[in-house]
Amino acid sequence: VLGVFGGGVLIAVHKLLPSNLITLFNSNLENLAVSIKSPKLKLILVSIYISPNSSKEIYNLHCSKLE
């Protein structure tokens, strides 16, 4: 049902790791992205929830926007 969301998504980052929230494109999907930087590592984590009842087109559209 449009406008009804589930439990959400979470990315937990230790307070000693420098991190920034990344704004993703406007989407009806529950999503979150974070960049984490350390002296030896640069990482982008993305968490997305796509309902099992969603159409294949929603999945494909979201994947194409991430490329």
Side-chain angles (χ1 to χ4, degrees):
V1 177
L2 189 60
V4 175
F5 293 97
V9 295
L10 170 76
I11 297 175
V13 180
H14 194 280
K15 63 183 176 184
L16 294 180
L17 291 174
S19 62
N20 292 303
L21 182 64
I22 299 172
T23 302
L24 296 177
F25 54 89
N26 189 10
S27 171
N28 289 332
L29 301 175
E30 297 174 58
N31 58 57
L32 180 63
V34 176
S35 68
I36 300 171
K37 296 177 186 172
S38 73
K40 296 182 180 181
L41 179 70
K42 182 176 179 182
L43 183 66
I44 295 176
L45 296 174
V46 180
S47 179
I48 304 164
Y49 175 76
I50 301 174
S51 169
N53 299 330
S54 296
S55 69
K56 185 177 178 180
E57 289 77 25
I58 290 175
Y59 177 81
N60 289 335
L61 175 64
H62 190 73
C63 288
S64 69
K65 295 215 181 236
L66 290 176
E67 293 177 349

